Amino acid sequence: MEEKKILFSAIQPSGILTIGNYLGALRNFKKLQSDYQSIFSLADLHTLTVKQEPANLRKNTYELTALYLACGIDPNESILFAQSHVSAHTELAWILNTICYPGELSRMTQFKDKSKKHEDNINMGLMDYPVLMAADILLYQTELVPIGADQKQHLELARDLAIRFNNRYGETFKVPEGYIGKNGARVMSLTEPEKKMSKSDANENGFISMNDDKDTIIRKFKRAVTDSDNKIVFDESKPGISNLLTIYSACKDITIEQAEKEFEGKMYGEFKLKVGEAVADIVEPIRLEKERLLANKDYIDEVLKNGAERAERIAYKTVNKVYKKVGLVPRKWN
C-alpha cells in the first residue's frame, strides 16, 4: 500500500476566522485528512510579531482549536497541535537562520506591508518569521503545503532553504510543493469587493465571521455592495455581484454558471438574501458545535497535548538529524 504524502498547514490564532477562510481552506481540511497524512498547527508563535493581548491570544487559540474540530478535523486521524508546544520549531528556525540571508527576508512582501501597518512595532520577529515558517514546514518532511497567493513567497523561501541546506550538508529535507485545492474559493469583502475578505477589516460589515449568528449574517449580506445594474452575472465590471456569486456557488457546491442561471431575472434584494441564507446554513451548525466544544476546555487541552506529543516525535527526528549534519555534539541523555 502506497504511503500517504505528508501535508502541513498552519493558521494563526489571531482572531476568529471568516467565511473566506472556511471556503478557501478550512472546509477542505476534512477531506485532506483522509487523502494525506495531515498535520495542522495553530501558529501561536507567529502571532507575537504583532502586539497581542495575552488573554485574547489564549482565548483565540482555544477558539481556533474548537473551530478545527467543529469543521471535521479528527484529532485521531490528523495531528492538531499548538506550535509553541513543540520547541523543535524554534530550534530548527535558529539553524535555518544561519543559512538565510538578510536580503531574502527584507524583500518579503508581507514584511513590507506589516512594517507600514505596525510602524510602532517593527521587530526582528516580523522580519524573521518566514524562517520560522520554513522550520514549521521542513520539520515534518512535508511534501504538500496548502497555500494562497499571499503565501507563495514564503513557501519559495522554505524550498530555497531546504535545497541550500541539502546542498551544503547532504540530503536532509524533503523539498515541499504548494497544494492548491480544486474547490478553494477566493472570497472578497462585502463592502469593498476589490479587497480580499479579512478578519482584521475595521468595518465589521465587510466580513462574515465564523462566530456570526444567522441574523447577523443575513443583515450583513443585505448591506453587501452590488451596483446600479440589475443583472446577476459574473463579470469583472461587477465585483460585488461576482463576489456574491462566488460565495453562493461555493456554499452550494455548484458552478458559477449554475448560480447565474438560478438567479436569472431575480432582483438584487432576493439574491442577497439567498446568499446570506446559504452561508448561514453552513456557519450555524459549525458555530454551535464550536460553542459546545469550548464548554469543555479539558477536552481541548487533551487534544492539544496528544497532538503535540505526536508532532514532537516526528519533529525531533528531523532536528536530531540536522544537529548531526551541522556538527553539534549529540545529547547522550534524555
Side-chain angles (χ1 to χ4, degrees), residues 1 27 38 95 114 126-127 135 139 154 168 278 315 331 333:
M1 183 178 175
R27 74 166 176 177
S38 299
I95 300 295
K114 286 194 174 184
L126 195 60
M127 175 177 272
L139 263 181
H154 292 142
R168 186 176 297 185
R331 286 170 57 123
W333 64 94

Side-chain angles (χ1 to χ4, degrees), residues 97-114:
N97 270 324
T98 67
I99 63 165
C100 187
Y101 308 124
E104 291 176 301
L105 299 180
S106 63
R107 286 193 296 270
M108 288 287 168
T109 303
Q110 285 203 22
F111 171 68
K112 294 176 183 176
D113 292 346
K114 286 194 174 184

